[in-house]
Amino acid sequence: MRKTHYITFRNFFHKPSPKLSTKPHPFTAYSFVPFSPVAMLDPTILTIGGIVLGIALIERMLERWGVIDLADQFEKVMRFILPVTFYGALFYFFATFMF
């Protein structure tokens, strides 16, 4: 017959158990997803973003100068280009990202 060991609630939380049932095993942990914010500074993505930003700034300057017809043409083109560029750059980032 086994002997029952009683421990108080306070000793249970503040002191280690007198007997360890298993031995702790040291192990090495590896990270399979190395992520660095510097990875977002990919030259291709920065170039595409700079071109899109430049076109948007040109459109705003044309509006200020009063060339509304040309600004409207830029707006129609950008309405299609911006989402395609964003999702394309997102796909490119995850396709070239080393997992």
Side-chain angles (χ1 to χ4, degrees), residues 34-36 38-46 48 87-99:
F35 183 74
S36 171
V38 179
M40 291 185 192
L41 297 177
D42 185 24
T44 306
I45 293 178
L46 289 177
I48 292 170
Y87 288 117
L90 193 65
F91 176 76
Y92 173 81
F93 176 73
F94 284 115
T96 60
F97 185 63
M98 299 293 292
F99 283 104

Side-chain angles (χ1 to χ4, degrees), residues 1-55:
M1 187 172 246
R2 288 181 136 180
K3 197 178 202 183
T4 306
H5 177 74
Y6 290 101
I7 188 168
T8 64
F9 183 75
R10 180 168 283 147
N11 287 339
F12 177 75
F13 276 105
H14 296 296
K15 292 184 182 177
S17 177
K19 294 180 188 176
L20 292 176
S21 60
T22 59
K23 277 186 160 181
H25 300 284
F27 64 94
T28 306
Y30 295 100
S31 174
F32 293 107
V33 184
F35 183 74
S36 171
V38 179
M40 291 185 192
L41 297 177
D42 185 24
T44 306
I45 293 178
L46 289 177
T47 303
I48 292 170
I51 290 170
V52 170
L53 185 63
I55 292 172

